[in-house]
Amino acid sequence: MLLTMFIVSIIVFGITEIAPGNVARKILGAFATPEQEESFRRQLGLDHPLYVRYLNLLIGSDWRAERFVGMPLERIKRPGTEFYEWWAMDEDGTPIRWKLEGEDLIALRLQPDGTVIKSIDNGRWQTDESDVSTFWGIDMHDRAILWEKGSGQTYWLRTKAGGFWVEKASGAKKYIPLQKGIVRGDPGISVQTGRPVAETLFRRLQNSAILAAIAFVIVMPLALVLGLIAGLNEGKAIDRILSIGSLAGTSTPEFATGIFLILIFATWLKLVPGATVFTSAKAIFEKPEMLVLPVLTLTLIELGYVLRITRASMVEVMGTAYIRTAFLKGLPYWRIVFKHALRNALMAPITVIMLHVNWLMGGLVVVEAIFGFPGLGNYLYKSGLYKDIFAIEAVALVMVFLAVGTQLVADIIYTFLNPRIRYA
Amino acid sequence: MGVSEQARPPVIATRRSLWQCFRDALAPILASKVALVGLGLVGFWVFVAIFAPLISPYGPLEQDPEAMNLGPSAEHPLGADHLGRDLWARLIYGARTILVLAPLSVLCALAIGTTLGLIGGYFGGWIDEIVMRILDAIMAFPVILLYLIIIVTLGPSAINVVIAITIAGAPGIARLVRSLTLDIRTREYIAAAELRGENPFYIMFVEILPNARGPIIVDAMLRIGYAVFAIGTLGFLGLGLPPPSPDWGSMVCKGRHYIWLSPWAVLWPSLAISSLVIGLNLFADGLREETMRYQ
């Protein structure tokens, strides 16, 4: 499993970052100049060689930056806010960052009460033989930077308010965006929003998990029971209806199901809202009726598949010799079904259900896109549209990890259900 | 000379006519009602796709400003979309794209998957180990995730859709072919071919592959269904063919914004995708049942 995840991470990284040039173009818009693009790429650390970027993604870049800065770097929560920031730790233990004003290096020292004390800190310049003064430090945007005195370098900064770009003087020659790496729970900063990916990701994952769990709890018993009913009545009218219904359900694209449910229940009948709007983090509990349509859509998609497997498995078991023996012994019908057939018949569907998590996630992406549900799938979709590469990588790896993990669990459960299988 | 001529069996007696071959191939399909229904559904779409210009008087991009968002009428049998384009025309031209792209992508996946599966299954050893490890990793992805990141990187276009479906589909095929190969490799005729000193690739493609074709074909049929589904979903997410090409998924996506005015623009393409997928699934199911019975 670890090996699989390792290969997966290489594949994800390879697909998303082999051609990063157009990332800049996508974010900056069509009117960006080549200088702006170049500056943007450098600030994101996209000018580093591939293997360095891969390591950044996986195990972070702070340890690499630490060697240059010569001080321990730490990600600390700024007192009084909920933002995490990177600071270098000075010898006396105060967090310190720098900025460049003209030719002067300004040290910013963070005090325990959250205030920052500024002081001129020109003593840190290191001058080499050719009389060039340089300094490695941490700037105010969580990056390790190599400053050069009087180099006349400029960079482009997107102003928070207008979203347009201004050119600013700075002596920054090299950037290393600081991150802890995905293994240590920090996949970087979202290119689109400028906020840490992990934060958004975690919230989205929660929302998706709630949605998927509700759908799962509704679908599985329903599908198993209906499948058993269909399997026991093989060839009768009820079996035909259920089989055709499940075939139609699985063959209708998720997006079509979702849209028609919106049309019927939200537009015509006006029973439930047709889109999910989250005004607060707890909205999911305050307005549970928003979840009705997404859950219903997921249910309809998933129901048919599990139902068919259950039906086929039940039909097979009911045709076996030991069931016929039970009948010949004159056991009552329900006793045969529940005591003899059920456990064997449920084996196939339960493994399929667990392996089905992959499929469920695919459904989630589409359903969340339709209803605007702020879940993992929607996050992936939106960051895909904006080419927010760090977010894509993080979501992709989390999704694959969940899928691989559930498959492992499925294997383990299967050994409990089926005593004939033993893993050495 | 004379001896060899005598030894050659009489040609006419053993060689079946072309019609007979055709009928033999068709027998399992004709024997199963399920497969026939499926074939009918698929055949319908193939037919309208081929004769699209003859069936509809409108082109897929022709606009009729008076018919915008109108339901079915005598002029437009299925109605028209928000730009007044005839839905029936768009549907059948859309069938053209989807019926080219879906089988094409499955064929590509088949070519790659079969080759990898044969190589892994036949050679075994570390080649098998490496190939299967990588394919397992790809299979660990939820398919839609794979489609999304590939298309996002490469940009939406018909070729990239094919590439995405190929990458996502090949590992599954490779696994199937590998398991079949592992089984067939133990047969006597393979040992005989090895003894003759045949090239390993000859053995793989000429001896093993034809004997594994049954399950592969059934699997490919199912995969075409998935591919139709995938192309539709990608189109809906705006990652399929760029507009204004008549693509079923993007028809749904566009029609969705006007669904309050007329649900037809969403209804027909959805039904089209469903019917095509159902047709392919039924066809594959029927085919599988029949081939199983003969074995």
Side-chain angles (χ1 to χ4, degrees):
Chain A
M1 183 181 161
L2 278 177
L3 184 63
T4 309
M5 282 313 294
F6 179 66
I7 302 176
V8 163
S9 71
I10 293 182
I11 295 175
V12 169
F13 174 80
I15 295 177
T16 44
E17 287 205 24
I18 288 297
N22 40 13
V23 176
R25 192 146 283 271
K26 192 89 189 181
I27 303 282
L28 302 183
F31 300 108
T33 61
E35 295 90 63
Q36 284 172 336
E37 256 180 60
E38 183 55 33
S39 164
F40 180 80
R41 288 190 50 203
R42 284 186 35 211
Q43 289 182 50
L44 284 180
L46 291 177
D47 56 336
H48 294 295
L50 273 179
Y51 68 94
V52 174
R53 272 159 43 201
Y54 178 68
L55 286 180
N56 285 355
L57 172 75
L58 211 58
I59 51 176
S61 55
D62 51 340
W63 50 275
R64 205 156 49 87
E66 250 170 39
R67 282 211 313 258
F68 292 117
V69 179
M71 282 184 223
L73 304 178
E74 263 177 53
R75 203 166 74 119
I76 51 178
K77 195 174 185 178
R78 188 159 181 173
T81 65
E82 53 182 64
F83 298 109
Y84 282 92
E85 290 172 341
W86 282 97
W87 293 81
M89 289 298 167
D90 210 352
E91 287 87 19
D92 57 351
T94 34
I96 182 168
R97 299 202 286 197
W98 294 271
K99 67 177 178 180
L100 199 66
E101 272 179 12
E103 299 256 308
D104 291 329
L105 197 61
I106 311 282
L108 306 166
R109 283 170 201 277
L110 182 68
Q111 303 304 311
D113 59 347
T115 53
V116 170
I117 295 178
K118 289 186 186 183
S119 60
I120 292 182
D121 197 11
N122 277 331
R124 290 188 195 266
W125 288 112
Q126 282 165 358
T127 311
D128 63 2
E129 310 88 63
S130 50
D131 205 29
V132 181
S133 301
T134 54
F135 169 66
W136 269 103
I138 310 286
D139 80 341
M140 297 172 54
H141 300 281
D142 296 337
R143 294 175 303 218
I145 288 187
L146 176 67
W147 278 293
E148 193 183 307
K149 202 175 188 174
S151 66
Q153 295 254 0
T154 58
Y155 74 107
W156 291 86
L157 180 78
R158 181 161 57 170
T159 55
K160 287 249 164 61
F164 51 81
W165 288 74
V166 288
E167 192 173 15
K168 284 199 170 182
S170 101
K173 289 204 71 168
K174 281 183 189 161
Y175 295 92
I176 301 178
L178 292 171
Q179 63 182 89
K180 283 188 159 182
I182 206 154
V183 175
R184 288 150 71 199
D186 174 23
I189 304 285
S190 159
V191 182
Q192 180 65 21
T193 61
R195 307 264 292 147
V197 171
E199 217 174 88
T200 323
L201 183 70
F202 185 67
R203 231 180 19 247
R204 297 300 186 97
L205 184 63
Q206 244 178 343
N207 289 340
S208 275
I210 293 174
L211 181 62
I214 296 176
F216 198 78
V217 167
I218 294 178
V219 170
M220 291 317 153
L222 200 63
L224 291 179
V225 169
L226 288 180
L228 288 180
I229 292 175
L232 289 175
N233 297 300
E234 194 200 354
K236 292 189 195 151
I238 187 160
D239 172 38
R240 287 281 153 79
I241 294 171
L242 286 174
S243 297
I244 292 175
S246 70
L247 182 67
T250 40
S251 302
T252 313
E254 297 102 334
F255 53 87
T257 317
I259 289 174
F260 282 113
L261 287 177
I262 294 181
L263 183 66
I264 295 169
F265 289 103
T267 315
W268 290 346
L269 302 178
K270 298 201 192 317
L271 288 177
V272 281
T276 47
V277 182
F278 275 47
T279 43
S280 70
K282 288 209 176 72
I284 205 166
F285 303 109
E286 285 159 7
K287 285 196 203 158
E289 72 267 20
M290 286 191 310
L291 288 176
V292 172
L293 286 184
V295 166
L296 196 58
T297 313
L298 273 179
T299 310
L300 284 180
I301 301 162
E302 299 296 312
L303 187 64
Y305 190 77
V306 183
L307 195 154
R308 269 159 74 185
I309 303 277
T310 318
R311 177 189 173 274
S313 160
M314 195 66 197
V315 167
E316 197 190 316
V317 168
M318 289 305 278
T320 53
Y322 73 90
I323 295 292
R324 203 167 46 190
T325 314
F327 271 114
L328 290 177
K329 280 202 298 193
L331 291 178
Y333 183 69
W334 288 110
R335 202 181 146 81
I336 297 173
V337 171
F338 283 111
K339 282 217 79 160
H340 293 79
L342 201 60
R343 192 168 155 176
N344 278 317
L346 285 185
M347 210 118 73
I350 284 178
T351 29
V352 166
I353 287 169
M354 297 305 277
L355 295 175
H356 210 54
V357 169
N358 260 352
W359 203 282
L360 182 75
M361 278 188 212
L364 268 182
V365 173
V366 177
V367 168
E368 285 175 5
I370 296 174
F371 291 97
F373 184 86
L376 201 58
N378 207 4
Y379 191 38
L380 175 76
Y381 175 53
K382 288 282 152 56
S383 44
L385 289 185
Y386 293 112
K387 293 214 72 167
D388 191 344
I389 47 173
F390 301 126
I392 298 176
E393 285 163 351
V395 180
L397 284 177
V398 167
M399 278 184 150
V400 178
F401 181 75
L402 289 176
V404 175
T406 44
Q407 275 171 26
L408 195 70
V409 174
D411 282 347
I412 296 169
I413 290 182
Y414 196 60
T415 49
F416 279 112
L417 279 177
N418 189 351
R420 276 172 296 188
I421 290 186
R422 288 268 179 273
Y423 291 113
Chain B
M1 243 343 186
V3 175
S4 74
E5 231 155 75
Q6 264 183 348
R8 190 181 295 163
V11 176
I12 297 162
T14 51
R15 195 170 144 194
R16 294 171 302 173
S17 74
L18 208 68
W19 170 237
Q20 252 173 340
C21 283
F22 189 60
R23 223 175 43 188
D24 280 358
L26 236 54
I29 302 170
L30 295 177
S32 154
K33 271 190 198 139
V34 178
L36 262 185
V37 174
L39 189 66
L41 278 172
V42 179
F44 168 75
W45 284 114
V46 174
F47 178 81
V48 295
I50 293 175
F51 297 105
L54 300 178
I55 293 173
S56 169
Y58 307 98
L61 303 180
E62 254 174 70
Q63 300 184 358
D64 177 0
E66 282 168 25
M68 275 184 211
N69 282 325
L70 285 188
S73 62
E75 269 175 63
H76 300 282
L78 298 186
D81 69 1
H82 62 286
L83 293 177
R85 295 175 294 197
D86 185 56
L87 283 175
W88 172 237
R90 281 181 77 69
L91 216 53
I92 56 182
Y93 280 95
R96 283 187 157 187
T97 31
I98 215 155
L99 282 172
V100 170
L101 287 187
L104 181 68
S105 46
V106 173
L107 269 184
C108 293
L110 262 183
I112 296 175
T114 312
T115 314
L116 289 177
L118 281 172
I119 290 175
Y122 183 71
F123 289 118
W126 59 271
I127 299 181
D128 184 35
E129 189 69 19
I130 292 174
V131 169
M132 282 302 138
R133 278 287 164 199
I134 294 175
L135 294 185
D136 275 351
I138 299 181
M139 281 180 84
F141 280 87
V143 239
I144 196 130
L145 172 67
L146 209 51
Y147 294 150
L148 266 174
I149 57 178
I150 294 174
I151 303 262
V152 159
T153 318
L154 298 178
S157 81
I159 295 172
N160 293 341
V161 169
V162 172
I163 293 176
I165 296 178
T166 304
I167 295 179
I173 297 175
R175 264 225 177 144
L176 175 74
V177 175
R178 176 175 172 270
S179 65
L180 292 168
T181 309
L182 284 178
D183 175 32
I184 293 174
R185 195 175 61 166
T186 58
R187 307 276 167 88
E188 283 88 357
Y189 55 84
I190 302 298
E194 276 167 358
L195 214 57
R196 288 205 302 273
E198 298 283 9
N199 181 319
F201 286 91
Y202 175 88
I203 298 178
M204 282 193 286
F205 286 96
V206 182
E207 301 276 350
I208 296 178
L209 189 55
N211 288 299
R213 71 175 186 278
I216 297 178
I217 291 175
V218 172
D219 182 64
M221 282 295 153
L222 285 174
R223 273 175 198 284
I224 295 181
Y226 298 151
V228 170
F229 225 97
I231 295 172
T233 306
L234 285 174
F236 174 76
L237 293 177
L239 299 169
L241 308 185
S245 55
D247 169 51
W248 291 350
S250 53
M251 282 170 75
V252 176
C253 180
K254 284 280 166 321
R256 180 191 172 193
H257 301 300
Y258 303 90
I259 195 168
W260 333 112
L261 295 169
S262 108
W264 303 104
V266 174
L267 179 65
W268 299 122
S270 313
L271 275 183
I273 296 178
S274 303
S275 65
L276 187 54
V277 172
I278 290 179
L280 286 163
N281 282 356
L282 288 180
F283 186 56
D285 279 354
L287 211 59
R288 178 166 47 199
E289 266 169 35
E290 287 304 315
T291 46
M292 291 282 213
R293 190 172 300 167
Y294 285 119
Q295 281 166 1

Coordinates of all heavy atoms in Angstrom, one line a residue, chain A residues 309-357:
Chain A
I309 N -25.8 -6.7 -7.9 CA -24.8 -7.7 -7.4 C -25.5 -8.6 -6.4 O -25.3 -9.8 -6.4 CB -23.6 -7.0 -6.8 CG1 -22.9 -6.1 -7.7 CG2 -22.6 -8.0 -6.2 CD1 -22.0 -6.7 -8.7
T310 N -26.2 -8.0 -5.5 CA -26.9 -8.8 -4.5 C -27.8 -9.8 -5.1 O -27.9 -10.9 -4.7 CB -27.7 -7.8 -3.5 OG1 -26.9 -6.7 -3.2 CG2 -28.0 -8.6 -2.2
R311 N -28.6 -9.3 -6.1 CA -29.6 -10.2 -6.7 C -28.9 -11.4 -7.3 O -29.2 -12.5 -7.1 CB -30.3 -9.4 -7.8 CG -31.3 -10.3 -8.6 CD -31.9 -9.6 -9.8 NE -32.6 -10.5 -10.5 CZ -32.1 -11.3 -11.5 NH1 -30.8 -11.3 -11.7 NH2 -32.9 -12.2 -12.1
A312 N -27.8 -11.1 -8.1 CA -27.1 -12.2 -8.8 C -26.5 -13.2 -7.8 O -26.7 -14.4 -7.9 CB -26.0 -11.6 -9.6
S313 N -26.0 -12.7 -6.7 CA -25.4 -13.5 -5.7 C -26.4 -14.4 -5.0 O -26.2 -15.5 -4.7 CB -24.6 -12.6 -4.7 OG -24.4 -13.3 -3.5
M314 N -27.6 -13.8 -4.7 CA -28.7 -14.5 -4.0 C -29.2 -15.6 -4.9 O -29.4 -16.7 -4.5 CB -29.8 -13.5 -3.7 CG -30.8 -14.0 -2.7 SD -30.1 -14.3 -1.1 CE -31.3 -15.3 -0.4
V315 N -29.4 -15.3 -6.2 CA -29.9 -16.3 -7.2 C -28.9 -17.4 -7.2 O -29.3 -18.6 -7.2 CB -30.0 -15.6 -8.6 CG1 -30.2 -16.7 -9.6 CG2 -31.1 -14.7 -8.6
E316 N -27.6 -17.1 -7.2 CA -26.6 -18.2 -7.3 C -26.7 -19.1 -6.0 O -26.7 -20.3 -6.1 CB -25.2 -17.5 -7.4 CG -24.2 -18.5 -7.9 CD -22.8 -17.9 -7.7 OE1 -22.7 -16.7 -8.1 OE2 -21.9 -18.5 -7.3
V317 N -26.8 -18.4 -4.9 CA -26.8 -19.2 -3.6 C -28.0 -20.1 -3.5 O -28.0 -21.2 -3.1 CB -26.7 -18.3 -2.4 CG1 -27.0 -19.0 -1.1 CG2 -25.3 -17.6 -2.4
M318 N -29.2 -19.5 -3.9 CA -30.4 -20.3 -3.8 C -30.4 -21.5 -4.8 O -31.2 -22.4 -4.6 CB -31.6 -19.4 -4.2 CG -31.9 -18.3 -3.1 SD -32.2 -19.0 -1.5 CE -33.9 -19.5 -1.6
G319 N -29.5 -21.5 -5.7 CA -29.5 -22.6 -6.7 C -28.5 -23.7 -6.2 O -28.4 -24.7 -6.9
T320 N -27.8 -23.5 -5.1 CA -26.8 -24.5 -4.7 C -27.4 -25.7 -4.1 O -28.6 -25.7 -3.7 CB -25.8 -23.8 -3.7 OG1 -26.5 -23.3 -2.6 CG2 -24.9 -22.8 -4.3
A321 N -26.6 -26.7 -4.0 CA -27.1 -28.0 -3.5 C -27.4 -27.9 -2.0 O -28.4 -28.5 -1.6 CB -26.0 -29.1 -3.7
Y322 N -26.7 -27.2 -1.2 CA -27.0 -27.2 0.2 C -28.3 -26.5 0.5 O -29.0 -26.9 1.5 CB -25.9 -26.6 1.1 CG -25.7 -25.2 1.0 CD1 -26.3 -24.3 2.0 CD2 -24.8 -24.6 0.1 CE1 -26.1 -23.0 1.9 CE2 -24.6 -23.2 0.1 CZ -25.3 -22.4 1.0 OH -25.1 -21.1 1.0
I323 N -28.7 -25.6 -0.3 CA -30.0 -24.9 -0.1 C -31.1 -25.9 -0.5 O -32.2 -26.1 0.2 CB -30.1 -23.7 -1.0 CG1 -29.1 -22.6 -0.5 CG2 -31.6 -23.1 -0.9 CD1 -29.4 -22.1 0.9
R324 N -30.9 -26.7 -1.6 CA -31.9 -27.7 -2.0 C -32.0 -28.7 -0.9 O -33.1 -29.2 -0.5 CB -31.5 -28.3 -3.3 CG -32.6 -28.9 -4.0 CD -32.3 -29.3 -5.4 NE -31.0 -30.0 -5.5 CZ -30.4 -30.3 -6.6 NH1 -30.9 -29.9 -7.7 NH2 -29.2 -30.9 -6.6
T325 N -30.9 -29.1 -0.3 CA -30.9 -30.1 0.8 C -31.8 -29.5 1.9 O -32.6 -30.2 2.5 CB -29.5 -30.3 1.4 OG1 -28.6 -30.5 0.3 CG2 -29.5 -31.5 2.3
A326 N -31.6 -28.3 2.2 CA -32.4 -27.7 3.3 C -33.9 -27.7 3.0 O -34.7 -28.0 3.9 CB -31.9 -26.2 3.6
F327 N -34.2 -27.4 1.7 CA -35.6 -27.5 1.3 C -36.1 -28.9 1.5 O -37.2 -29.1 2.0 CB -35.7 -27.1 -0.1 CG -36.0 -25.6 -0.3 CD1 -35.0 -24.8 -0.9 CD2 -37.1 -25.0 0.2 CE1 -35.2 -23.5 -1.1 CE2 -37.4 -23.7 0.0 CZ -36.4 -22.9 -0.6
L328 N -35.3 -29.9 1.1 CA -35.7 -31.3 1.1 C -35.9 -31.7 2.6 O -36.7 -32.6 2.9 CB -34.7 -32.2 0.4 CG -34.7 -32.0 -1.1 CD1 -33.6 -32.9 -1.7 CD2 -36.1 -32.3 -1.7
K329 N -35.1 -31.2 3.5 CA -35.3 -31.5 4.9 C -36.6 -31.0 5.4 O -37.0 -31.3 6.5 CB -34.1 -30.9 5.7 CG -32.8 -31.7 5.6 CD -31.9 -31.4 6.8 CE -31.5 -30.0 6.9 NZ -30.4 -29.8 7.8
G330 N -37.2 -30.1 4.7 CA -38.5 -29.6 5.1 C -38.4 -28.4 6.0 O -39.3 -28.1 6.8
L331 N -37.2 -27.7 6.0 CA -37.1 -26.5 6.9 C -38.0 -25.4 6.4 O -38.3 -25.4 5.2 CB -35.7 -26.0 6.8 CG -34.6 -26.9 7.5 CD1 -33.3 -26.3 7.3 CD2 -35.0 -27.1 8.9
P332 N -38.5 -24.6 7.3 CA -39.3 -23.5 6.8 C -38.6 -22.5 5.9 O -37.4 -22.3 6.1 CB -39.8 -22.8 8.1 CG -39.0 -23.4 9.2 CD -38.4 -24.7 8.7
Y333 N -39.3 -21.9 5.0 CA -38.7 -21.1 4.0 C -37.8 -20.0 4.5 O -36.7 -19.8 4.2 CB -39.8 -20.5 3.1 CG -39.3 -19.7 2.0 CD1 -38.7 -20.3 0.9 CD2 -39.5 -18.3 1.9 CE1 -38.3 -19.5 -0.2 CE2 -39.1 -17.5 0.9 CZ -38.5 -18.1 -0.2 OH -38.1 -17.4 -1.3
W334 N -38.3 -19.2 5.5 CA -37.6 -18.1 6.0 C -36.4 -18.5 6.8 O -35.4 -17.8 6.8 CB -38.5 -17.2 6.9 CG -39.5 -16.5 6.0 CD1 -40.8 -16.7 5.9 CD2 -39.1 -15.5 5.0 NE1 -41.3 -15.9 4.9 CE2 -40.3 -15.1 4.4 CE3 -38.0 -14.9 4.6 CZ2 -40.4 -14.2 3.3 CZ3 -38.0 -14.0 3.6 CH2 -39.2 -13.6 3.0
R335 N -36.5 -19.6 7.4 CA -35.3 -20.2 8.1 C -34.2 -20.5 7.1 O -33.0 -20.2 7.4 CB -35.7 -21.4 8.9 CG -34.8 -21.8 10.0 CD -35.4 -23.0 10.7 NE -34.2 -23.8 11.2 CZ -33.6 -23.5 12.3 NH1 -34.1 -22.5 13.1 NH2 -32.6 -24.2 12.8
I336 N -34.5 -21.0 6.0 CA -33.5 -21.4 5.0 C -32.9 -20.1 4.5 O -31.7 -19.9 4.5 CB -34.2 -22.1 3.8 CG1 -34.7 -23.4 4.3 CG2 -33.1 -22.3 2.7 CD1 -35.5 -24.1 3.2
V337 N -33.7 -19.1 4.2 CA -33.2 -17.8 3.7 C -32.3 -17.2 4.7 O -31.2 -16.8 4.3 CB -34.4 -16.9 3.3 CG1 -33.8 -15.5 2.9 CG2 -35.2 -17.5 2.1
F338 N -32.7 -17.0 5.9 CA -32.0 -16.2 6.8 C -30.8 -17.0 7.4 O -29.7 -16.5 7.6 CB -32.8 -15.7 8.0 CG -33.7 -14.6 7.5 CD1 -35.0 -14.7 7.4 CD2 -33.1 -13.4 7.2 CE1 -35.8 -13.6 7.0 CE2 -33.8 -12.3 6.8 CZ -35.2 -12.4 6.7
K339 N -31.0 -18.3 7.7 CA -29.9 -19.0 8.4 C -28.9 -19.6 7.4 O -27.7 -19.7 7.7 CB -30.5 -20.2 9.2 CG -31.0 -19.6 10.5 CD -30.7 -20.6 11.6 CE -29.3 -20.5 12.2 NZ -29.1 -21.1 13.5
H340 N -29.4 -20.0 6.2 CA -28.4 -20.7 5.3 C -28.0 -19.8 4.2 O -26.8 -19.9 3.9 CB -29.1 -22.0 4.7 CG -29.4 -23.0 5.7 ND1 -30.5 -22.9 6.6 CD2 -28.8 -24.1 6.1 CE1 -30.5 -24.0 7.4 NE2 -29.4 -24.7 7.1
A341 N -28.9 -19.1 3.6 CA -28.5 -18.5 2.3 C -27.8 -17.1 2.6 O -26.9 -16.7 1.9 CB -29.7 -18.3 1.4
L342 N -28.4 -16.4 3.5 CA -28.0 -14.9 3.6 C -26.5 -14.7 3.7 O -26.0 -13.9 3.0 CB -28.8 -14.4 4.8 CG -28.9 -12.8 4.8 CD1 -29.7 -12.5 3.6 CD2 -29.6 -12.4 6.1
R343 N -25.9 -15.4 4.6 CA -24.5 -15.0 4.9 C -23.6 -15.2 3.7 O -22.8 -14.4 3.3 CB -24.0 -15.9 6.1 CG -22.7 -15.4 6.5 CD -22.2 -16.0 7.8 NE -20.8 -15.9 7.9 CZ -20.1 -16.3 8.9 NH1 -20.7 -16.7 10.0 NH2 -18.8 -16.2 8.9
N344 N -23.9 -16.3 3.0 CA -23.1 -16.6 1.8 C -23.5 -15.6 0.7 O -22.6 -15.2 -0.1 CB -23.3 -18.0 1.3 CG -22.5 -19.0 2.0 OD1 -21.3 -18.7 2.2 ND2 -23.0 -20.1 2.4
A345 N -24.8 -15.2 0.6 CA -25.2 -14.3 -0.5 C -24.7 -12.9 -0.3 O -24.5 -12.2 -1.2 CB -26.7 -14.3 -0.5
L346 N -24.4 -12.6 1.0 CA -24.0 -11.2 1.2 C -22.5 -11.0 1.0 O -22.0 -9.9 1.0 CB -24.3 -10.8 2.7 CG -25.8 -10.5 2.9 CD1 -26.1 -10.0 4.2 CD2 -26.3 -9.5 1.8
M347 N -21.8 -12.1 0.9 CA -20.3 -12.0 0.7 C -19.9 -11.1 -0.4 O -19.1 -10.2 -0.3 CB -19.7 -13.4 0.6 CG -18.4 -13.5 1.1 SD -18.4 -14.7 2.5 CE -18.6 -16.2 1.5
A348 N -20.4 -11.4 -1.6 CA -20.1 -10.7 -2.8 C -20.4 -9.2 -2.7 O -19.6 -8.4 -2.9 CB -20.7 -11.4 -4.0
P349 N -21.7 -8.9 -2.3 CA -22.0 -7.5 -2.3 C -21.2 -6.7 -1.3 O -20.8 -5.5 -1.6 CB -23.5 -7.5 -1.8 CG -24.0 -8.8 -1.9 CD -22.9 -9.7 -2.1
I350 N -20.8 -7.3 -0.2 CA -20.1 -6.5 0.8 C -18.7 -6.1 0.3 O -18.2 -5.0 0.4 CB -20.0 -7.2 2.1 CG1 -21.4 -7.0 2.8 CG2 -19.0 -6.6 3.0 CD1 -21.6 -7.7 4.1
T351 N -18.1 -7.1 -0.4 CA -16.8 -6.7 -1.0 C -16.9 -5.7 -2.1 O -16.1 -4.8 -2.2 CB -16.0 -7.9 -1.6 OG1 -17.0 -8.8 -2.0 CG2 -15.1 -8.6 -0.6
V352 N -18.0 -5.9 -2.8 CA -18.2 -4.9 -3.9 C -18.4 -3.5 -3.4 O -17.9 -2.5 -3.9 CB -19.4 -5.4 -4.8 CG1 -19.8 -4.3 -5.7 CG2 -19.0 -6.6 -5.6
I353 N -19.2 -3.5 -2.3 CA -19.5 -2.2 -1.7 C -18.2 -1.5 -1.3 O -18.0 -0.3 -1.6 CB -20.4 -2.3 -0.4 CG1 -21.8 -2.7 -0.8 CG2 -20.4 -1.0 0.4 CD1 -22.6 -3.1 0.3
M354 N -17.3 -2.2 -0.7 CA -16.1 -1.6 -0.3 C -15.2 -1.2 -1.5 O -14.6 -0.1 -1.5 CB -15.2 -2.5 0.6 CG -15.9 -2.9 1.9 SD -16.4 -1.4 2.8 CE -14.9 -1.0 3.7
L355 N -15.2 -2.0 -2.5 CA -14.4 -1.7 -3.7 C -15.1 -0.5 -4.4 O -14.5 0.1 -5.3 CB -14.3 -2.9 -4.6 CG -13.5 -4.0 -4.0 CD1 -13.5 -5.2 -5.0 CD2 -12.1 -3.6 -3.8
H356 N -16.3 -0.3 -4.0 CA -17.1 0.7 -4.8 C -16.8 2.1 -4.4 O -17.3 3.1 -4.9 CB -18.6 0.4 -4.5 CG -19.5 0.7 -5.6 ND1 -19.3 0.3 -6.9 CD2 -20.6 1.5 -5.7 CE1 -20.2 0.8 -7.7 NE2 -21.0 1.5 -7.0
V357 N -16.0 2.3 -3.3 CA -15.7 3.6 -2.8 C -15.1 4.5 -3.9 O -15.5 5.6 -4.1 CB -14.7 3.5 -1.6 CG1 -14.2 4.9 -1.3 CG2 -15.5 2.9 -0.5

